[in-house]
Amino acid sequence: MNNAGFGNYGSIGNQNLEKISRMLHLNVETLTIFSSLFVRDFKDTKGTQLINVSSCGGYTIVPNAVTYCAAKFYVSILYRNESYT
């Protein structure tokens, strides 16, 4: 189960670019890499499940949290179908 992540809040023009980069690295890149490795190693193991926890922000736009919502939308949609197996 993956529930990692953190948010970045404020109007998009006022957000710290380094913090946006760190957030995207954790919430998008690291999630994708670790999930891909997990599927490769355990796809043939009966009863194994990959569970990625998103956020309510992954399904709506929250004022002053647009970058966070975008990153969590990625989490929400990435493994919604079974094409990763």
Side-chain angles (χ1 to χ4, degrees):
M1 176 180 284
N2 169 43
N3 192 24
F6 72 90
N8 192 26
Y9 304 97
S11 67
I12 196 161
N14 293 324
Q15 291 184 14
N16 178 291
L17 296 178
E18 177 59 33
K19 189 172 180 183
I20 290 173
S21 179
R22 289 193 324 266
M23 181 191 66
L24 292 174
H25 177 70
L26 177 63
N27 294 0
V28 175
E29 292 177 51
T30 303
L31 164 79
T32 304
I33 292 167
F34 284 164
S35 296
S36 296
L37 291 170
F38 180 87
V39 169
R40 288 178 194 179
D41 290 346
F42 295 102
K43 69 179 179 180
D44 296 325
T45 303
K46 188 174 181 169
T48 300
Q49 294 181 336
L50 172 61
I51 301 171
N52 285 310
V53 178
S54 179
S55 167
C56 291
Y59 299 94
T60 189
I61 299 297
V62 177
N64 290 322
V66 175
T67 54
Y68 172 77
C69 292
K72 288 303 182 174
F73 178 76
Y74 179 88
V75 176
S76 300
I77 203 71
L78 183 61
Y79 295 106
R80 202 165 238 205
N81 63 54
E82 296 182 18
S83 64
Y84 63 88
T85 59

